[in-house]
Coordinates of all heavy atoms in Angstrom, one line a residue:
M904 N 58.6 79.5 37.5 CA 59.5 80.0 38.5 C 58.7 80.5 39.7 O 57.6 81.0 39.6 CB 60.4 81.1 38.0 CG 61.3 80.7 36.9 SD 62.6 79.6 37.4 CE 63.7 80.7 38.2
I905 N 59.3 80.4 40.9 CA 58.7 81.0 42.1 C 59.6 81.9 42.7 O 60.9 81.8 42.5 CB 58.2 79.9 43.1 CG1 59.4 79.1 43.6 CG2 57.1 79.0 42.5 CD1 59.0 78.1 44.7
T906 N 59.1 82.9 43.5 CA 60.0 83.8 44.1 C 60.6 83.2 45.4 O 60.1 82.1 45.8 CB 59.2 85.1 44.6 OG1 58.2 84.7 45.6 CG2 58.5 85.7 43.4
E907 N 61.5 83.8 46.0 CA 62.1 83.3 47.3 C 61.0 83.3 48.3 O 61.0 82.4 49.1 CB 63.3 84.2 47.7 CG 64.5 84.1 46.8 CD 65.5 85.2 47.0 OE1 65.2 86.2 47.7 OE2 66.6 85.0 46.5
H908 N 60.2 84.3 48.3 CA 59.1 84.4 49.3 C 58.1 83.2 49.1 O 57.7 82.5 50.1 CB 58.3 85.7 49.2 CG 57.3 85.9 50.2 ND1 56.0 85.9 50.0 CD2 57.4 86.2 51.6 CE1 55.3 86.1 51.1 NE2 56.2 86.3 52.1
E909 N 57.7 82.9 47.9 CA 56.8 81.8 47.6 C 57.5 80.4 48.0 O 56.9 79.5 48.5 CB 56.5 81.8 46.2 CG 55.5 82.9 45.8 CD 55.4 83.1 44.3 OE1 56.3 82.6 43.5 OE2 54.4 83.7 43.9
A910 N 58.8 80.3 47.8 CA 59.6 79.1 48.1 C 59.5 78.9 49.6 O 59.4 77.8 50.1 CB 61.0 79.2 47.6
L911 N 59.7 80.0 50.4 CA 59.6 79.8 51.8 C 58.2 79.4 52.3 O 58.1 78.5 53.2 CB 60.0 81.2 52.5 CG 60.1 81.1 54.0 CD1 61.2 80.2 54.5 CD2 60.4 82.5 54.6
I912 N 57.2 80.0 51.7 CA 55.8 79.6 52.0 C 55.6 78.1 51.7 O 55.1 77.3 52.4 CB 54.8 80.5 51.3 CG1 54.9 81.9 51.8 CG2 53.4 79.9 51.4 CD1 54.1 82.9 51.0
A913 N 56.1 77.7 50.5 CA 56.0 76.3 50.1 C 56.7 75.4 51.0 O 56.1 74.3 51.4 CB 56.5 76.1 48.6
M914 N 57.9 75.7 51.5 CA 58.6 74.9 52.4 C 57.8 74.8 53.7 O 57.7 73.7 54.3 CB 60.0 75.5 52.7 CG 60.8 74.6 53.7 SD 62.4 75.3 54.1 CE 62.0 76.8 54.9
R915 N 57.2 75.9 54.2 CA 56.4 75.8 55.4 C 55.2 74.9 55.3 O 55.0 74.1 56.1 CB 56.0 77.2 55.9 CG 55.1 77.2 57.1 CD 54.5 78.5 57.5 NE 53.8 79.2 56.4 CZ 52.6 78.9 56.0 NH1 51.9 78.0 56.7 NH2 52.0 79.6 55.0
L916 N 54.5 75.0 54.1 CA 53.4 74.2 53.9 C 53.8 72.7 53.8 O 53.1 71.8 54.4 CB 52.7 74.6 52.6 CG 52.1 76.0 52.6 CD1 51.7 76.4 51.1 CD2 50.8 76.0 53.5
F917 N 54.9 72.5 53.1 CA 55.4 71.1 53.0 C 55.7 70.5 54.4 O 55.3 69.3 54.7 CB 56.6 71.1 52.1 CG 57.1 69.7 51.8 CD1 56.6 68.9 50.8 CD2 58.2 69.2 52.5 CE1 57.1 67.6 50.6 CE2 58.7 67.9 52.3 CZ 58.1 67.1 51.3
L918 N 56.4 71.2 55.2 CA 56.8 70.8 56.5 C 55.6 70.6 57.4 O 55.5 69.6 58.2 CB 57.8 71.7 57.1 CG 59.2 71.7 56.4 CD1 60.1 72.8 57.1 CD2 59.9 70.3 56.5
E919 N 54.6 71.5 57.3 CA 53.4 71.3 58.1 C 52.7 70.1 57.7 O 52.2 69.3 58.6 CB 52.5 72.5 57.9 CG 53.0 73.8 58.7 CD 52.1 75.0 58.4 OE1 51.2 74.9 57.5 OE2 52.3 76.0 59.0
Q920 N 52.6 69.8 56.4 CA 51.9 68.6 55.9 C 52.6 67.3 56.4 O 52.0 66.4 56.8 CB 51.8 68.7 54.4 CG 51.2 67.6 53.7 CD 51.3 67.8 52.2 OE1 50.7 68.7 51.7 NE2 52.0 66.9 51.5
F921 N 54.0 67.4 56.2 CA 54.7 66.2 56.7 C 54.6 66.0 58.2 O 54.4 64.8 58.6 CB 56.2 66.4 56.3 CG 57.1 65.2 56.8 CD1 57.2 64.1 55.9 CD2 57.7 65.2 58.0 CE1 58.0 63.0 56.3 CE2 58.4 64.1 58.4 CZ 58.6 63.0 57.6
Y922 N 54.6 67.0 59.0 CA 54.5 66.9 60.4 C 53.1 66.3 60.8 O 53.0 65.4 61.7 CB 54.7 68.2 61.1 CG 54.7 68.1 62.6 CD1 55.8 67.7 63.3 CD2 53.5 68.5 63.3 CE1 55.8 67.6 64.7 CE2 53.5 68.4 64.7 CZ 54.6 67.9 65.4 OH 54.6 67.8 66.7
A923 N 52.1 66.7 60.1 CA 50.7 66.2 60.4 C 50.6 64.7 60.1 O 49.9 64.0 60.7 CB 49.7 67.0 59.5
R924 N 51.4 64.3 59.1 CA 51.3 62.9 58.7 C 52.3 62.0 59.5 O 52.0 60.9 59.9 CB 51.6 62.8 57.2 CG 51.5 61.4 56.6 CD 51.7 61.3 55.1 NE 53.0 61.8 54.7 CZ 53.3 62.9 54.0 NH1 52.3 63.7 53.7 NH2 54.5 63.2 53.7
A925 N 53.6 62.5 59.7 CA 54.6 61.6 60.2 C 55.2 62.1 61.6 O 56.0 61.4 62.1 CB 55.7 61.5 59.2
G926 N 54.7 63.3 62.0 CA 55.3 63.7 63.3 C 56.7 64.3 63.1 O 57.1 64.7 62.0
N927 N 57.4 64.3 64.2 CA 58.7 65.0 64.3 C 59.8 63.9 63.9 O 60.7 63.6 64.7 CB 58.9 65.6 65.7 CG 60.1 66.4 65.7 OD1 60.6 66.9 64.7 ND2 60.6 66.6 66.9
D928 N 59.8 63.4 62.7 CA 60.7 62.4 62.2 C 61.6 62.9 61.2 O 61.4 62.7 60.0 CB 59.9 61.2 61.8 CG 60.8 60.0 61.4 OD1 62.1 60.1 61.5 OD2 60.3 58.9 61.1
M929 N 62.6 63.7 61.5 CA 63.5 64.3 60.6 C 64.2 63.3 59.7 O 64.4 63.6 58.5 CB 64.5 65.2 61.3 CG 65.4 66.0 60.4 SD 64.5 67.2 59.3 CE 64.1 68.5 60.5
E930 N 64.6 62.2 60.2 CA 65.3 61.2 59.5 C 64.4 60.7 58.3 O 64.9 60.6 57.2 CB 65.7 60.0 60.4 CG 66.5 59.0 59.7 CD 67.0 57.9 60.7 OE1 66.9 58.0 61.9 OE2 67.5 56.9 60.1
T931 N 63.2 60.5 58.5 CA 62.3 60.0 57.4 C 62.1 61.2 56.4 O 62.1 60.9 55.2 CB 60.9 59.6 58.0 OG1 61.1 58.5 58.8 CG2 59.9 59.3 56.9
L932 N 61.9 62.4 56.9 CA 61.8 63.5 56.0 C 63.0 63.6 55.0 O 62.8 63.7 53.8 CB 61.6 64.8 56.7 CG 61.6 66.1 55.9 CD1 60.5 66.1 54.9 CD2 61.6 67.3 56.8
I933 N 64.2 63.6 55.6 CA 65.4 63.7 54.8 C 65.5 62.5 53.8 O 65.8 62.7 52.6 CB 66.7 63.7 55.7 CG1 66.7 64.9 56.6 CG2 67.9 63.6 54.8 CD1 66.7 66.2 55.9
A934 N 65.1 61.3 54.2 CA 65.2 60.1 53.3 C 64.1 60.3 52.2 O 64.4 60.1 51.1 CB 64.9 58.9 54.1
D935 N 62.9 60.8 52.6 CA 61.9 60.9 51.6 C 62.2 61.9 50.5 O 61.9 61.7 49.3 CB 60.6 61.4 52.2 CG 59.9 60.4 53.0 OD1 60.3 59.2 53.0 OD2 58.8 60.7 53.7
I936 N 63.0 62.9 50.8 CA 63.3 64.0 49.8 C 64.7 63.8 49.2 O 65.1 64.7 48.4 CB 63.1 65.4 50.3 CG1 64.0 65.7 51.5 CG2 61.6 65.6 50.7 CD1 63.9 67.1 52.0
T937 N 65.4 62.8 49.6 CA 66.7 62.5 49.0 C 66.6 62.3 47.5 O 65.7 61.4 47.1 CB 67.4 61.3 49.7 OG1 67.6 61.6 51.0 CG2 68.7 60.9 49.0
I938 N 67.3 63.0 46.7 CA 67.3 62.8 45.2 C 68.1 61.6 44.8 O 69.3 61.5 45.1 CB 67.8 64.1 44.5 CG1 67.0 65.3 45.0 CG2 67.7 63.9 43.0 CD1 65.5 65.3 44.8
E939 N 67.5 60.7 44.1 CA 68.1 59.5 43.6 C 68.9 59.8 42.3 O 68.8 60.9 41.7 CB 67.1 58.4 43.3 CG 66.3 58.0 44.6 CD 67.1 57.1 45.5 OE1 68.2 57.6 46.0 OE2 66.7 56.0 45.7
S940 N 69.6 58.8 41.8 CA 70.4 59.1 40.5 C 69.5 59.4 39.3 O 70.0 60.0 38.4 CB 71.2 57.8 40.3 OG 70.4 56.7 40.1
D941 N 68.3 59.0 39.4 CA 67.3 59.3 38.3 C 66.7 60.7 38.3 O 65.9 61.1 37.5 CB 66.2 58.2 38.2 CG 65.3 58.2 39.3 OD1 65.5 59.0 40.3 OD2 64.4 57.4 39.4
G942 N 67.2 61.4 39.4 CA 66.7 62.8 39.5 C 65.4 63.0 40.3 O 64.9 64.0 40.5
K943 N 64.8 61.8 40.8 CA 63.6 61.9 41.5 C 63.8 61.6 43.0 O 64.8 60.9 43.3 CB 62.6 60.8 40.9 CG 62.3 61.1 39.5 CD 61.4 60.0 38.9 CE 61.1 60.3 37.4 NZ 60.4 59.2 36.8
P944 N 62.9 62.1 43.8 CA 63.1 61.8 45.3 C 62.8 60.3 45.6 O 62.1 59.6 44.8 CB 62.1 62.7 45.9 CG 61.2 63.2 44.9 CD 61.8 63.0 43.6
L945 N 63.4 59.9 46.7 CA 63.3 58.5 47.1 C 61.8 58.1 47.2 O 61.3 57.1 46.8 CB 64.0 58.3 48.4 CG 64.0 56.8 49.0 CD1 64.7 55.9 48.0 CD2 64.6 56.8 50.3
D946 N 61.0 59.0 47.8 CA 59.6 58.8 47.9 C 58.9 59.7 46.9 O 58.8 60.9 47.0 CB 59.1 59.3 49.3 CG 57.6 59.1 49.6 OD1 56.9 58.7 48.6 OD2 57.2 59.4 50.7
P947 N 58.3 59.0 45.8 CA 57.7 59.8 44.7 C 56.5 60.7 45.2 O 56.2 61.7 44.7 CB 57.2 58.7 43.8 CG 57.9 57.5 44.1 CD 58.3 57.6 45.6
A948 N 55.9 60.2 46.3 CA 54.7 61.0 46.8 C 55.2 62.4 47.4 O 54.5 63.4 47.4 CB 54.0 60.3 47.9
A949 N 56.5 62.4 47.8 CA 57.1 63.6 48.3 C 57.1 64.7 47.2 O 56.9 65.9 47.5 CB 58.4 63.4 48.9
W950 N 57.4 64.3 46.0 CA 57.5 65.2 44.9 C 56.1 65.8 44.6 O 55.9 67.0 44.4 CB 58.0 64.5 43.6 CG 58.2 65.5 42.5 CD1 57.5 65.4 41.3 CD2 59.0 66.6 42.4 NE1 57.9 66.4 40.5 CE2 58.8 67.2 41.1 CE3 60.0 67.2 43.2 CZ2 59.5 68.3 40.7 CZ3 60.6 68.3 42.8 CH2 60.4 68.8 41.5
D951 N 55.1 64.9 44.6 CA 53.7 65.4 44.4 C 53.3 66.3 45.5 O 52.6 67.3 45.2 CB 52.7 64.2 44.3 CG 53.0 63.3 43.1 OD1 53.5 63.8 42.1 OD2 52.6 62.1 43.2
D952 N 53.6 66.0 46.7 CA 53.3 66.9 47.9 C 54.0 68.2 47.7 O 53.4 69.3 47.9 CB 53.8 66.2 49.2 CG 53.0 65.0 49.6 OD1 51.9 64.8 49.0 OD2 53.5 64.3 50.5
W953 N 55.2 68.2 47.3 CA 56.0 69.5 47.1 C 55.3 70.3 46.0 O 55.1 71.5 46.2 CB 57.4 69.2 46.7 CG 58.2 70.4 46.4 CD1 58.6 70.7 45.1 CD2 58.5 71.5 47.2 NE1 59.3 72.0 45.2 CE2 59.2 72.4 46.5 CE3 58.4 71.7 48.6 CZ2 59.7 73.6 47.0 CZ3 58.9 72.9 49.1 CH2 59.5 73.8 48.4
L954 N 55.0 69.7 44.9 CA 54.4 70.5 43.8 C 53.0 71.1 44.2 O 52.7 72.3 43.9 CB 54.2 69.6 42.5 CG 55.4 69.1 41.9 CD1 55.1 68.2 40.7 CD2 56.3 70.3 41.4
R955 N 52.2 70.4 45.0 CA 51.0 70.9 45.5 C 51.3 72.1 46.4 O 50.6 73.1 46.4 CB 50.2 69.9 46.3 CG 49.3 69.0 45.4 CD 48.4 68.2 46.1 NE 49.0 67.2 47.0 CZ 49.5 66.0 46.6 NH1 49.4 65.7 45.4 NH2 50.0 65.2 47.5
C956 N 52.3 72.0 47.3 CA 52.7 73.1 48.2 C 53.2 74.3 47.4 O 52.8 75.5 47.7 CB 53.7 72.6 49.2 SG 53.1 71.4 50.4
V957 N 53.9 74.1 46.3 CA 54.4 75.2 45.5 C 53.2 75.9 44.9 O 53.1 77.1 44.9 CB 55.4 74.7 44.4 CG1 55.6 75.8 43.3 CG2 56.7 74.3 45.0
D958 N 52.2 75.1 44.3 CA 51.0 75.7 43.7 C 50.3 76.5 44.8 O 49.8 77.6 44.5 CB 50.1 74.6 43.1 CG 50.6 74.1 41.8 OD1 51.5 74.8 41.2 OD2 50.2 73.0 41.4
E959 N 50.1 76.0 45.9 CA 49.4 76.7 47.0 C 50.2 77.9 47.4 O 49.5 79.0 47.7 CB 49.2 75.8 48.2 CG 48.3 76.4 49.2 CD 47.9 75.5 50.4 OE1 48.1 74.3 50.3 OE2 47.5 76.0 51.4
A960 N 51.5 77.9 47.5 CA 52.3 79.1 47.9 C 52.1 80.2 46.9 O 52.2 81.3 47.2 CB 53.7 78.7 48.0
K961 N 51.8 79.9 45.6 CA 51.7 80.9 44.6 C 50.3 81.5 44.6 O 50.1 82.5 43.9 CB 52.0 80.3 43.2 CG 53.5 79.9 43.1 CD 53.9 79.4 41.7 CE 53.0 78.7 40.9 NZ 53.6 78.2 39.7
S962 N 49.4 81.0 45.4 CA 48.0 81.5 45.4 C 48.0 82.9 46.1 O 48.7 83.1 47.1 CB 47.1 80.5 46.0 OG 47.2 80.5 47.4
P963 N 47.2 83.7 45.7 CA 47.1 85.1 46.3 C 46.8 85.1 47.8 O 47.4 85.9 48.5 CB 46.0 85.8 45.5 CG 45.8 85.0 44.2 CD 46.3 83.6 44.5
R964 N 46.1 84.1 48.3 CA 45.8 84.1 49.7 C 47.0 83.8 50.6 O 47.0 84.2 51.7 CB 44.6 83.2 50.0 CG 44.9 81.7 49.8 CD 43.6 80.9 50.0 NE 43.7 79.6 49.3 CZ 44.3 78.6 49.9 NH1 44.7 78.6 51.1 NH2 44.3 77.5 49.2
Q965 N 48.0 83.2 50.0 CA 49.2 82.9 50.8 C 50.2 84.0 50.8 O 51.1 84.1 51.6 CB 49.9 81.6 50.2 CG 49.2 80.3 50.4 CD 49.2 79.9 51.9 OE1 50.0 80.3 52.7 NE2 48.2 79.2 52.3
L966 N 50.1 84.9 49.8 CA 51.1 85.9 49.6 C 50.9 87.2 50.5 O 51.8 88.0 50.6 CB 51.1 86.4 48.2 CG 51.6 85.3 47.2 CD1 51.5 85.8 45.8 CD2 52.9 84.8 47.5
G967 N 49.8 87.2 51.2 CA 49.5 88.4 52.1 C 50.6 88.8 52.9 O 51.2 89.7 53.1

C-alpha cells in the first residue's frame, strides 16, 4: 500500500517521465493507461513505468 502523498508523488514522476518521452500528448497517455478486459493497461510498458514510479515515490528522498 502507498499513502495518498506517495500516490501523488508517483503520479508526478509518471507524468514527468511520459512527458520526457512523448511530449504533451494526452491522447496517447490516456490510451496507454486504459485498462483492458484482462485487467492490464493497453501499453504493458506503462504498468512497468508506473510500478517504478511507485517504488521511487516510496523512497525517503521523495517524501521530504
Side-chain angles (χ1 to χ4, degrees):
M904 296 292 284
I905 62 175
T906 66
E907 292 168 345
H908 186 250
E909 291 167 339
L911 184 62
I912 292 169
M914 181 181 64
R915 180 185 51 81
L916 293 169
F917 183 83
L918 292 173
E919 285 175 351
Q920 178 181 299
F921 180 86
Y922 184 80
R924 184 177 61 249
N927 191 21
D928 186 358
M929 185 61 75
E930 187 174 346
T931 297
L932 173 61
I933 298 297
D935 285 355
I936 62 173
T937 296
I938 305 298
E939 298 284 63
S940 60
D941 64 1
K943 298 177 183 174
L945 183 65
D946 180 359
W950 183 246
D951 293 335
D952 293 344
W953 173 250
L954 293 177
R955 276 191 298 279
C956 291
V957 167
D958 284 342
E959 187 174 344
K961 294 185 326 186
S962 74
R964 64 186 161 87
Q965 291 291 335
L966 296 177

